[in-house]
Amino acid sequence: MLGADADFGALLRRLRTATRLTQEGVAAGSGLSVRSIREIERGIVRYPRPDSVRRLADALGLAGEERTRFERLARAGYWTDRAQRLSPQDLSPRDLSPQPPPAPALPPRAAQLPALISDFVDRSELLAGLDGMLPAVDSAVTVVVVTGGGGSGKTTLAVRWAHGIAHRFPAGQLYVDLRGFSADPPLSPAKALSRFISALGLPRERVPADVAEAAAVYRSLVADRPVLVLLDNAVSAEQVAPLLPGCPGSVVVVTSRGPLDGLVISHGARRLTVGELGPDEALALLGRVIGTARVDAERAAAARLVAACGHLALAVRIAAARMLMRPDRSIGRYTAEFTAGNRLDALECDDAAVRRTFLHSYRRLDDGSRTVFRRLSLIAGPSFTLAATEAVSGLSRRAAGAALDRLTASHLVERVGEDRFRFHDLLRRYARERCDAEESVASREAVRSALLGWQVSHVRAAAAVLYPRKTQLPELANPGWPEAVFADRQAGLDWLDAEEANLVAAIRSYADEGPRRAVWLLGYALRGYFDLRGSSGDWLAVATLAVDAATRDSGLYARASAELSLATALTSVGRKSAAIAHALRSLAFSHEAGWDEGEATACGTLGSLYIGSAAVGAAAGYLNRGMDIFRRLGNLAGEANALDNLCTAHITLGNLESAAEGLRQALDLYRRADLSSGEGHALTRLAELHWAFDQDRTARRHANRALTAYRSAGHLVGEGYARVTLAVNAPDGALGGAIRQANHALDGIRRAGDRLYETKALNCLGNLYRRAGDAPAAHATYTRSLELARAIDDPHQAAVILVGLAQVAGADRSADHLDEAADIARVHGFRVVSADVHAARARALLARGERAAGTAVARQAADLYRATGNARGARHARELLAP
């Protein structure tokens, strides 16, 4: 290959051409500058240094004899030529003696990583995830895609990690902002390559214009030199691919708001998603900027502030920067102003703005996806589904799904379940801004109408399978709304469970923005679900809004239904006086409107309320009136419910046999009406009665069946109380397990917010603690139960609890509790409570050794128990008479 060349420069040019290398390529491979290569080939440098010659031989791939001749020719004639140019006196022994080789020239090294941010919050899990992506053996180029929404801290994280591993890449670290999501057009691969090649020592004017040729030069420059490359803010895999080096061991970190699937497919890239900061991380970031002492002094306000920023890193930084401008202002005051105003306006500071960050992502969407993004902001609530997206977008299921995929890929919405998505709070606000700015008023109203139709149709369909006999409004059957069907009860219940928070939020939104009709329609339709799940808080809030909306609409149906729902919601939280007032209004509006079912339902509500207040005569009047209407209408469920409540009145007054007979009739009606929740209630009351009848096996059978019925209905409060009923009647040898079961059931009832059943459950738990000999626990539990009974104005429950409390209180307080219970029982005619008081007094007398007095009182107790039909009480009273 080495022919006869006149000089070394000509030989170098011929060899370079033969191997199809450019001067730049040889320079990259040898570490010499392009200028040095050019001067050697032109003969300007006739005798390159030995080290340079060896590097050139390496770059040309020479070996063996070829390499030896190449290196020999480079020095041929050196000493002859030097001797001809020097006079003898110029020569010295040093000139003629061997010289040590000069220090080798270092290859060009780029160190372009951006500076570290001093207030970086240690996101240890993410950094560990990146560390785990580094290969154990440098056998290929490692590509890591760090993806996430705008402002999430992708670049900060990537820069921090890159600095942490930079020492592994002494040959260089390259960085470029590809401007994929910015106000400027994305940086082209050609321009990015030009910057890299220039940083590696080749003048920009020598960079080929063709992207493929420039990429080849770039890879040649870093051949056999593993480098670290950080490609920030990429828009596509096509933008990134030409910038990937070829040397094994190189690491490329790409940040993008998109998933860059092409890199995963074609280059085996690994992906790490950066989400919002955790609450503690967000607080730490705030503290790094404004000072930890300031944050610690107002930690609760600081937590509210970072939550209002959605824990978005950029938003927290901007809020912190604005707070630095006013060090005299407290975090609490700033947070109050921030949450009261336009948060996106507040999150602007110099050249940083959350709104602008979101805009760059929004502009990258196609027109259809932008429309879907805007309209999704009209869905109130924490999440939404594909079906809801289809409703608001007007697109087919397939097209709506494709749009959601694009929005998810762009991190403008987040997938939080198999078919559930959510907005980041600030992104929702931005989407609503775009909706208000780009959608006409008519368009927004049409979207909200379509959403309402979708919601009502699904709530109505769920009601049809969950509580088909429950009174519904005629307005719910709108032929213009889409039809929805659930296959079974569980499907309907699952849908309502998943959508409850969204429906409540939607009702609040309709109350603020209209249509008001939606508030009372949805509110009334959901009351059966709220009752099933014991969602007293949501029920009360929704019903209150419904009354306000219906009052403004002035329709009789609307006002009757809203007042009825609010009365029932108030009953569940023990506010009886207010509940009675609203039930009376509902009764009047229903009667005036000629709405028979509404009138009968209001009568039933009033009857149950008056029973709890011990106004049994009034209760019976309303219950019989309602039962007559329901019977005339053929409404089995309504008739059963009225009869069930009448039986409660009988139990309160001590007519236990009559109550049992009525409950058996109500149970039959509930079963004919296929109303599982009503069946569960009747069975629970029958279980309590049969324990009073001293028929434990029958009682336990009824309680277990009640539990099954409640579970079938999805009625959480009823299921909890059925468990309590089973627990409180456990045998003495099983009290430990019974106490645990009762406490667990009580927790569920308490979470549901049903204060009446919480009161009853606490009393049962107190009885269990008393039987187990744990007087302090019993006393505390009875005391809490009594507080609740008084708060909900339930004299019967209060009297029952006082009897139990007396048995664990001190002697001085015990008599007081029994006297108070006796007074309540005498005023309201609570015969079983009177018997309980006598039995408790008899035990106290006998315990003090007053045998004659104790025996006399015990006989009175036994007589009272027999008169009510309470066989268990009578048996225990007789046991006190035994010598």
Side-chain angles (χ1 to χ4, degrees):
M1 184 175 179
L2 297 178
D5 292 278
D7 56 43
F8 181 74
L11 173 63
L12 175 60
R13 182 169 53 253
R14 184 171 63 80
L15 289 173
R16 175 178 62 76
T17 303
T19 55
R20 297 183 178 180
L21 286 173
T22 62
Q23 290 180 344
E24 291 81 5
V26 174
S30 64
L32 276 64
S33 68
V34 176
R35 178 179 178 182
S36 296
I37 304 297
R38 185 164 56 246
E39 289 178 347
I40 292 172
E41 288 188 355
R42 291 178 178 178
I44 297 173
V45 175
R46 296 180 62 192
Y47 305 107
R49 293 177 180 179
D51 180 72
S52 298
V53 174
R54 286 193 293 273
R55 293 185 180 208
L56 288 169
D58 289 339
L60 293 169
L62 300 179
E65 183 62 21
E66 271 190 326
R67 186 183 184 99
T68 301
R69 293 171 60 193
F70 178 84
E71 292 176 351
R72 185 183 300 126
L73 181 59
R75 304 302 289 173
Y78 174 80
W79 292 110
T80 301
D81 186 50
R82 181 172 173 81
Q84 290 174 351
R85 290 188 289 108
L86 295 175
S87 62
Q89 58 268 31
D90 291 326
L91 297 175
S92 69
R94 180 179 179 278
D95 292 319
L96 300 174
S97 63
Q99 299 296 310
L106 292 174
R109 179 180 183 276
Q112 297 182 323
L113 292 180
L116 288 169
I117 295 177
S118 60
D119 55 21
F120 176 79
V121 175
D122 183 19
R123 306 182 77 171
S124 54
E125 288 188 11
L126 294 175
L127 290 170
L130 289 169
D131 288 340
M133 294 181 182
L134 289 174
V137 180
D138 295 336
S139 58
V141 176
T142 299
V143 182
V144 176
V145 176
V146 179
T147 183
S152 60
K154 300 180 299 297
T155 298
T156 302
L157 177 74
V159 169
R160 169 66 61 163
W161 186 64
H163 274 282
I165 63 171
H167 64 280
R168 303 187 185 189
F169 304 93
Q173 305 99 40
L174 300 170
Y175 169 85
V176 66
D177 180 1
L178 295 174
R179 300 197 309 251
F181 298 86
S182 69
D184 300 319
L187 191 70
S188 68
K191 290 183 178 179
L193 284 167
S194 177
R195 294 183 184 184
F196 281 175
I197 293 171
S198 176
L200 293 168
L202 186 65
R204 290 194 180 185
E205 61 270 16
R206 301 292 297 171
V207 177
D210 181 75
V211 172
E213 292 182 10
V217 171
Y218 162 59
R219 287 191 293 272
S220 297
L221 290 171
V222 293
D224 299 322
R225 295 167 58 191
V227 290
L228 172 63
V229 184
L230 177 50
L231 305 176
D232 193 20
N233 204 10
V235 71
S236 67
E238 291 75 15
Q239 185 188 31
V240 169
L243 309 180
L244 302 179
C247 178
S250 295
V251 172
V252 181
V253 185
V254 188
T255 72
S256 178
R257 299 186 195 180
L260 304 188
D261 292 329
L263 288 181
V264 176
I265 296 169
S266 60
H267 293 85
R270 305 182 71 180
R271 193 155 48 207
L272 180 83
T273 300
V274 179
E276 60 200 43
L277 296 168
D280 291 339
E281 291 173 333
L283 280 173
L285 175 57
L286 184 67
R288 295 277 178 88
V289 180
I290 68 173
T292 55
R294 194 173 173 187
V295 170
D296 290 342
E298 295 184 79
R299 200 160 186 85
R304 290 195 301 272
L305 175 60
V306 297
C309 291
H311 300 121
L312 188 69
L314 176 62
V316 174
R317 286 185 186 281
I318 294 175
R322 291 178 70 92
M323 290 183 65
L324 283 176
M325 301 175 191
R326 292 290 304 273
D328 58 317
R329 183 178 299 178
S330 69
I331 298 177
R333 181 179 173 187
Y334 177 82
T335 302
E337 294 173 355
F338 178 77
T339 54
N342 186 313
R343 297 184 192 181
L344 293 175
D345 284 345
L347 292 173
E348 293 188 8
C349 186
D350 295 332
D351 61 344
V354 170
R355 181 185 281 113
R356 188 159 58 249
T357 297
F358 294 162
L359 174 62
H360 299 325
S361 294
Y362 179 69
R363 284 178 172 171
R364 291 291 173 196
L365 297 172
D366 59 88
D367 290 344
S369 297
R370 282 199 292 268
T371 298
V372 173
F373 176 72
R374 293 192 302 267
R375 293 182 176 182
L376 283 172
S377 69
L378 296 175
I379 301 177
S383 66
F384 50 89
T385 60
L386 173 57
T389 305
E390 182 183 0
V392 298
S393 67
L395 298 174
S396 67
R397 177 64 62 97
R398 182 175 181 179
L404 277 176
D405 287 342
R406 289 189 289 272
L407 292 174
T408 303
S410 301
H411 295 281
L412 290 172
V413 300
E414 178 185 358
R415 185 185 293 273
V416 292
E418 183 177 351
D419 180 28
R420 194 152 292 275
F421 304 82
R422 77 174 183 98
F423 269 124
H424 184 281
D425 181 60
L426 295 177
L427 272 167
R428 178 190 294 279
R429 293 171 186 272
Y430 178 72
R432 185 57 191 267
E433 276 191 1
R434 301 315 321 148
C435 187
D436 290 345
E438 298 181 42
E439 299 273 354
S440 67
V441 173
S443 173
R444 295 199 300 272
E445 288 180 352
V447 171
R448 291 172 71 83
S449 178
L451 177 62
L452 173 61
W454 178 81
Q455 291 166 333
V456 170
S457 64
H458 282 76
V459 171
R460 185 182 65 213
V465 294
L466 287 171
Y467 30 88
R469 304 296 181 266
K470 210 168 193 64
T471 305
Q472 294 295 346
L473 296 176
E475 286 85 346
L476 287 173
N478 187 325
W481 285 334
E483 189 65 31
V485 177
F486 289 107
D488 52 34
R489 293 175 55 82
Q490 193 59 50
L493 190 59
D494 289 345
W495 187 89
L496 285 172
D497 284 343
E499 292 294 328
E500 178 184 5
N502 295 321
L503 291 167
V504 172
I507 290 170
R508 294 182 188 276
S509 174
Y510 293 136
D512 290 337
E513 302 181 57
R516 284 195 298 266
R517 175 167 168 262
V519 180
W520 54 266
L521 268 180
L522 278 174
Y524 192 79
L526 283 169
R527 81 193 195 289
Y529 170 75
F530 290 143
D531 181 45
L532 280 179
R533 286 317 203 195
S535 303
S536 299
D538 283 344
W539 191 358
L540 189 58
V542 165
T544 301
L545 291 172
V547 166
D548 181 67
T551 301
R552 294 186 185 190
D553 278 351
S554 299
L556 291 175
Y557 271 113
R559 300 188 70 178
S561 63
E563 294 283 2
L564 180 58
S565 182
L566 181 54
T568 317
L570 288 165
T571 301
S572 73
V573 295
R575 293 170 56 184
K576 289 185 180 176
S577 297
I580 287 171
H582 286 286
L584 287 170
R585 291 192 194 107
S586 175
L587 180 61
F589 290 135
S590 297
H591 183 73
E592 186 178 353
W595 184 29
D596 290 343
E597 283 192 323
E599 181 179 348
T601 305
C603 284
T605 301
L606 284 164
S608 64
L609 285 165
Y610 281 124
I611 288 172
S613 300
V616 179
Y622 282 115
L623 290 171
N624 281 308
R625 175 180 168 184
M627 189 160 53
D628 289 343
I629 297 174
F630 279 130
R631 190 176 290 127
R632 174 165 49 83
L633 295 173
N635 187 322
L636 297 178
E639 182 183 351
N641 184 256
L643 181 56
D644 192 341
N645 284 324
L646 275 173
C647 293
T648 299
H650 282 303
I651 292 172
T652 301
L653 296 176
N655 303 319
L656 304 191
E657 292 289 355
S658 297
E661 178 58 31
L663 283 168
R664 284 189 282 270
Q665 294 176 26
L667 179 61
D668 179 64
L669 289 170
Y670 281 133
R671 286 172 173 165
R672 288 164 58 194
D674 191 26
L675 189 61
S676 298
S677 60
E679 184 180 346
H681 186 270
L683 284 165
T684 303
R685 302 316 303 268
L686 279 169
E688 292 173 328
L689 285 172
H690 280 281
W691 263 302
F693 296 156
D694 221 7
Q695 298 170 356
D696 289 10
R697 183 176 298 178
T698 303
R700 190 165 286 106
R701 184 172 66 250
H702 283 317
N704 280 310
R705 288 176 177 173
L707 185 60
T708 301
Y710 274 133
R711 191 183 293 122
S712 171
H715 199 296
L716 299 181
V717 172
E719 180 181 342
Y721 190 67
R723 292 185 185 280
V724 171
T725 303
L726 280 165
V728 76
N729 291 287
D732 290 341
L735 290 178
I739 288 172
R740 287 192 295 273
Q741 179 178 328
N743 268 307
H744 180 71
L746 175 62
D747 287 341
I749 293 170
R750 186 176 284 135
R751 283 195 301 271
D754 194 306
R755 301 179 78 191
L756 173 60
Y757 277 97
E758 182 181 354
T759 304
K760 291 182 175 182
L762 280 167
N763 181 57
C764 290
L765 184 59
N767 289 339
L768 285 168
Y769 281 130
R770 177 172 54 81
R771 288 175 58 198
D774 190 345
H779 189 279
T781 306
Y782 281 135
T783 300
R784 175 57 185 152
S785 182
L786 182 61
E787 290 171 353
L788 280 176
R790 286 172 170 161
I792 65 175
D793 187 26
D794 193 321
H796 183 260
Q797 280 300 311
V800 170
I801 296 161
L802 282 164
V803 174
L805 184 59
Q807 297 176 72
V808 293
D812 54 337
R813 294 294 298 149
S814 177
D816 292 340
H817 292 323
L818 289 175
D819 288 345
E820 185 180 355
D823 289 342
I824 295 172
R826 183 174 57 256
V827 169
H828 297 291
F830 300 154
R831 294 193 297 161
V832 174
V833 176
S834 292
D836 291 338
V837 170
H838 279 77
R841 284 174 171 167
R843 290 189 188 91
L845 289 167
L846 292 170
R848 293 198 300 266
E850 300 180 34
R851 184 69 189 173
T855 300
V857 175
R859 286 196 182 95
Q860 291 175 341
D863 291 341
L864 284 169
Y865 280 129
R866 277 194 296 270
T868 64
N870 192 322
R872 182 180 294 267
R875 175 167 60 82
H876 289 314
R878 287 195 302 273
E879 289 170 355
L880 295 174
L881 298 173

